[in-house]
């Protein structure tokens, strides 16, 4: 079993910054990806930014140039630095991770996906 815990949400004014953190722990052989999704009231959950094994990062068009996703190589942690926040960024932010839970001879045999419970980000105008 893997636990995923987010932190760092809160209330910020338009144009401000926040940094979200996410820690994954438990039965993890390796991390294939870690990233952030968000869900605003009345909307579907959407991708914000992800880090993929090998150092590849992906961003939603709406956050490019404002948000930065990074991963701590020493720990199973991922961060989301959010700058230039606006009202459209208000949402619950969820951490997502896909891990290898079992391997054999260097090859991953079991991938599993986990979600955190979410952290609220509110941008006031």
């Amino acid at each position: 079993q893997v636990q995923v815990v987010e932190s760092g949400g809160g209330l910020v004014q338009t144009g401000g910054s926040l940094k979200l953190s996410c820690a994954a722990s438990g039965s993890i052989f390796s991390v294939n990806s870690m990233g952030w999704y968000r869900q605003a009231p009345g909307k579907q959950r959407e991708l914000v930014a992800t880090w993929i094994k090998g150092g590849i990062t992906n961003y939603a068009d709406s956050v490019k140039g404002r948000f930065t996703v990074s991963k701590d190589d020493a720990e199973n942690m991922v961060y989301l630095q959010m700058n230039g926040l606006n009202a459209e960024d208000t949402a619950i932010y969820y951490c997502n991770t896909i891990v290898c839970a079992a391997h054999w001879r260097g090859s991953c045999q079991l991938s599993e996906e986990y979600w955190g419970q979410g952290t609220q980000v509110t941008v006031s105008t």
Side-chain angles (χ1 to χ4, degrees), residues 1 6 18 22 29 36 46 63 77 80 83 94 107 112 119:
Q1 192 69 15
E6 307 102 333
L18 280 175
C22 171
F29 172 68
W36 296 92
E46 62 177 1
V63 306
M77 295 194 67
L80 185 68
N83 299 326
Y94 296 91
S107 177
E112 297 179 336
T119 184

Side-chain angles (χ1 to χ4, degrees), residues 106-117:
S107 177
C108 186
Q109 301 299 310
L110 176 64
S111 292
E112 297 179 336
E113 182 177 28
Y114 294 91
W115 292 88
Q117 293 194 339

Side-chain angles (χ1 to χ4, degrees), residues 11-91:
L11 175 65
V12 64
Q13 292 185 332
T14 297
S17 299
L18 280 175
K19 185 174 183 178
L20 306 182
S21 301
C22 171
S25 60
S27 300
I28 300 172
F29 172 68
S30 63
V31 173
N32 295 332
S33 70
M34 290 190 79
W36 296 92
Y37 290 70
R38 67 186 180 187
Q39 188 167 18
K43 295 186 177 181
Q44 291 187 334
R45 190 173 298 189
E46 62 177 1
L47 169 73
V48 177
T50 58
W51 175 95
I52 300 171
K53 190 175 183 179
I56 299 170
T57 56
N58 293 315
Y59 294 92
D61 288 343
S62 60
V63 306
K64 284 180 180 177
R66 299 188 298 124
F67 292 10
T68 302
V69 63
S70 59
K71 186 180 178 297
D72 187 327
D73 288 337
E75 304 287 342
N76 292 326
M77 295 194 67
V78 69
Y79 305 95
L80 185 68
Q81 177 66 48
M82 304 185 292
N83 299 326
L85 287 160
N86 57 58
E88 287 69 39
D89 297 316
T90 294

